[in-house]
Amino acid sequence: VTSERPAPVTTAVVVAVGDELLSGAGVNRNAAWLGTRLGELGVEVVRGFVVGDDVDVITSTLREAARLADLVVVTGGLGPTADDRTRDALAALLGGALTHDEHVEEWIRDWYAERGREVTDRVLVQAQVPTGATALRNPVGTAPGLQAEVGNALVVCVPGVPAEMRGILEDHVLPEVARRSAGPVAIAVLRTTLTPESVVAAMLADIEAAATADGVRVAYLPSPAQVAVRFVAPPGVGGSSDAPTTAPAEQRLAPYVDAAVAVLGDLVAVHGPGTLADEVVLTARRAGATVAVAESLTGGSVLAALTEGAGASKAVLGGVVAYATDLKAALLDVDPDLLAREGAVHPEVAAQMATGVRARSGATYGAAVTGVAGPDPQDGRPPGVVHVAVAGPDGVIVHSPVLRGDRERIRVQAVVHTLELLRRALLGLAPPPA
Amino acid sequence: VTSERPAPVTTAVVVAVGDELLSGAGVNRNAAWLGTRLGELGVEVVRGFVVGDDVDVITSTLREAARLADLVVVTGGLGPTADDRTRDALAALLGGALTHDEHVEEWIRDWYAERGREVTDRVLVQAQVPTGATALRNPVGTAPGLQAEVGNALVVCVPGVPAEMRGILEDHVLPEVARRSAGPVAIAVLRTTLTPESVVAAMLADIEAAATADGVRVAYLPSPAQVAVRFVAPPGVGGSSDAPTTAPAEQRLAPYVDAAVAVLGDLVAVHGPGTLADEVVLTARRAGATVAVAESLTGGSVLAALTEGAGASKAVLGGVVAYATDLKAALLDVDPDLLAREGAVHPEVAAQMATGVRARSGATYGAAVTGVAGPDPQDGRPPGVVHVAVAGPDGVIVHSPVLRGDRERIRVQAVVHTLELLRRALLGLAPPPA
């Protein structure tokens, strides 16, 4: 059916294909990216399916998915090997035939030629396209995407490799989805630190109730030592149909977000989609400051988080991982008598590590963290005892939380405490309560 | 029906409940843990569902799941807040009623009393148990698990918090599942590095064909710069029924694994379930050696990986993150003239970083990595240019791969290259081809 006004897309189902996702050998990260990107366009993901490399199961799942939503996105099972069955399942759904597509063969030959490699017959299997489906060029690999109408749903199949999935969807599918959606939703995220979810939720109870009554959804998303509060306002299109804007939805969101910021005060570490580490880098850049970090129990995780983003080199100089006690003296000038007397897990050791990394690196601020990740005690201190310090132009502050959980959880929380103390120091705020 | 011989459990379906899993605000990591643990017990996960916080959808999904498999594990939706709907869905499936369970109330009161906190009415909602279901005590939180027979399936609902999910299943459910499964499967994993999946698969083609014909499944699981090859042999119970062993399945696996090891040679970096970083730590401990690392573009990720496991402090001393060029001279004694002349991305810079971190830390081996993660070029070098070096008792070796992909992918691959060069140096093996 050709129509001037294509069917609207407001709901989606995501189908992940691959034995490895069922057996636990892989984690389905694509679903989170799809939920986020589709949500931004005003399309709600209403169901997810995970199926193995079985053509009958994939076929029946696609049929059910096409009944449940306007858009079905299938990830995985499009490669050249024998266990890639999505192509056959889509063909089964469309009548059973596969046609050799010369354009796709040309894309594959180009891709190999650019890399000076030879095309094999096996790879050319990917040029078989189900009759009734359209091939979508893959900007970063050889397996093309496949797109077809099934019933009232648009079914799009993309490879499971994240970069290939994203590339095909961004190039070919999401622009079309955006045109057919009710318009973008508005999303605001406030990220709080070092405060239990129940406390944050209690502080926002009245605002949440008012927002919900107004159609603005509020969700609490806890992770170790952090709670993200997410506000979502429904689509409200402004601007022209060629250039819709999120302005009306954002206007609807603003009073609730502003009220939450007022109530939470400096518990809000990040106002926006970025991570706490991104915020520390931004805050340092705004202040014209540089930072360096000395780590013990976190073993480099604080610095790894700070350098994840592309802008890090403007503010982050680096630092020292003094995992062994001796290195705290050798690389950070911590007093060896103090280490001999108190061991490595002590507030004064954290303070001297911070001062030491600041002096040796020449950074404006030096942060440091020492403590016991476990499972065994260290120097007589049990797992969870942690000391964080920041040395800056105005002196040294120390923060000593006691953390719960296993080794991994203690390390993750210690990273958050270090980043948060550094953020507060950069802004001249008091340290958090221990 | 009471029976001396409970129904066997050989298949499972996993249902994840939570709006945040559909909207992209959360990643479903529980599914991977469940697939792995159930697989070890000989239970195959045949399907996964992800549903939002909607009681009708949860109910109909549980009904379908109970038809598809012997065991249904539901994660999430058991907490005390209004969007926790799994309890009501299970009740709907069992006839609709909820009964206040005094044991559960006692567990909750104990949990709060131990922490000196007061029990609220809201929290006691969790003592409502669907009539016909059994509550399972939560060893690390307040929301109990729920277990019931639905048709021929055993349905188990657990909280979505990973530690609570794991605790309830390990304490109450998996021992029962192990008794009712056909017996444990045997699993072997070989982890190769720096070799494309297609090359590894071609080398193992004959072995894979023979194994498959014998009922042993072979899977290739690629991640950046690594391919894990996994062999799974079906259950073959030995020993007594009280103490089954995996011996028969392991005997069946062994010839294929041995043949693969022989063909792959020193491409196999890890033989077992651990990570490459675990293997480096183990190799160093066996050699009685200590290691230190100097990092630039990876920003601390190599050291964070090495210190993830509990045994790290026996071999890993720490190191230096010299993200800014100046720190390579100040903290690692790299020649300032070399840095001025060649910039920070140069094989000789990597060599001097490795030598510097070894000398300053006193470690037996010093590893180093410098390069361009992108998105922008640095010192005239494009993203992907990387130099890795290891300095040890026998001198310095340098390895200079050119990596493809975005910033994150280049950083992850650079970590693998650094760990692999270090592993090879510890074993006296030649560096990999660039």
Side-chain angles (χ1 to χ4, degrees), chain A residues 181-369:
Chain A
S181 79
V185 298
I187 298 174
V189 179
L190 303 176
R191 192 177 290 276
T192 68
T193 62
L194 319 190
T195 312
E197 180 186 3
S198 59
V199 173
V200 174
M203 292 173 78
L204 298 183
D206 293 347
I207 295 166
E208 182 186 353
T212 306
D214 191 22
V216 172
R217 284 183 293 167
V218 181
Y220 301 94
L221 309 164
S223 57
Q226 300 189 52
V227 180
V229 186
R230 201 166 70 130
F231 299 78
V232 181
V237 180
S240 69
S241 63
D242 283 343
T245 81
T246 57
E250 273 167 11
Q251 283 161 21
R252 195 150 158 201
L253 209 57
Y256 306 108
V257 176
D258 292 348
V261 168
V263 166
L264 294 171
D266 67 19
L267 291 186
V268 177
V270 189
H271 186 161
T275 65
L276 178 58
D278 295 337
E279 184 70 19
V280 170
V281 171
L282 263 178
T283 307
R285 288 176 66 172
R286 279 194 209 109
T290 56
V291 302
V293 185
E295 304 188 48
S296 180
L297 81 157
T298 50
S301 308
V302 175
L303 282 160
L306 284 170
T307 58
E308 210 175 291
S313 57
K314 302 275 198 303
V316 183
L317 301 184
V320 169
V321 178
Y323 203 64
T325 300
D326 289 352
L327 288 201
K328 294 179 178 70
L331 298 184
L332 292 165
D333 308 312
V334 177
D335 176 7
D337 292 339
L338 172 68
L339 291 170
R341 196 171 63 241
E342 300 288 351
V345 183
H346 190 273
E348 179 58 22
V349 172
Q352 292 192 13
M353 288 169 70
T355 309
V357 80
R358 178 173 185 255
R360 289 218 178 185
S361 68
T364 326
Y365 288 85
V369 54

Side-chain angles (χ1 to χ4, degrees), chain A residues 20 22-29 32 35-36 45-51 57 61 64 115 117 166 198 221 230 298-301 303-304 307-310 312-313 316-324 327 330-331 360-361 374-375 404 406-407 411, chain B residues 20 22-29 32 35-36 45-51 57 61 64 115 117 166 198 221 230 298-301 303-304 307-310 312-313 316-324 327 330-331 360-361 374-375 404 406-407 411:
Chain A
E20 73 282 4
L22 294 171
S23 71
V27 170
N28 184 10
R29 286 175 216 283
T36 303
V45 177
V46 295
R47 204 74 63 84
F49 295 94
V50 185
V51 298
V57 174
T61 302
E64 185 181 352
R115 285 157 182 78
R117 290 165 58 186
R166 292 193 299 257
S198 59
L221 309 164
R230 201 166 70 130
T298 50
S301 308
L303 282 160
T307 58
E308 210 175 291
S313 57
V316 183
L317 301 184
V320 169
V321 178
Y323 203 64
L327 288 201
L331 298 184
R360 289 218 178 185
S361 68
R404 284 170 176 270
D406 61 13
R407 178 180 175 86
R411 277 171 46 116
Chain B
E20 74 281 6
L22 294 171
S23 71
V27 171
N28 184 11
R29 286 176 216 282
T36 303
V45 177
V46 296
R47 205 74 63 86
F49 295 93
V50 185
V51 298
V57 174
T61 301
E64 184 182 352
R115 285 157 182 78
R117 289 165 59 185
R166 291 193 300 256
S198 58
L221 310 164
R230 202 167 70 130
T298 52
S301 308
L303 282 160
T307 58
E308 211 174 290
S313 57
V316 183
L317 300 184
V320 168
V321 178
Y323 203 64
L327 289 201
L331 299 183
R360 289 219 178 185
S361 69
R404 283 170 177 271
D406 61 14
R407 177 180 174 88
R411 276 170 49 115

Side-chain angles (χ1 to χ4, degrees), chain A residues 323 407 411, chain B residues 269-270 274-293 302-318 365 418-420 422-424 426-427:
Chain A
Y323 203 64
R407 178 180 175 86
R411 277 171 46 116
Chain B
V270 190
T275 64
L276 178 58
D278 296 337
E279 184 70 21
V280 169
V281 171
L282 262 179
T283 307
R285 288 177 64 173
R286 280 195 209 110
T290 55
V291 302
V293 184
V302 175
L303 282 160
L306 284 170
T307 58
E308 211 174 290
S313 57
K314 302 275 197 305
V316 183
L317 300 184
Y365 288 85
T418 308
L419 292 173
E420 176 63 4
L422 185 49
R423 185 187 75 84
R424 292 185 183 223
L426 284 162
L427 292 172

Side-chain angles (χ1 to χ4, degrees), chain A residues 156-177:
Chain A
V156 179
C157 307
V158 291
V161 177
E164 301 187 25
M165 173 204 67
R166 292 193 299 257
I168 293 172
L169 287 168
E170 295 283 8
D171 281 7
H172 305 290
V173 181
L174 297 181
E176 170 75 8
V177 168

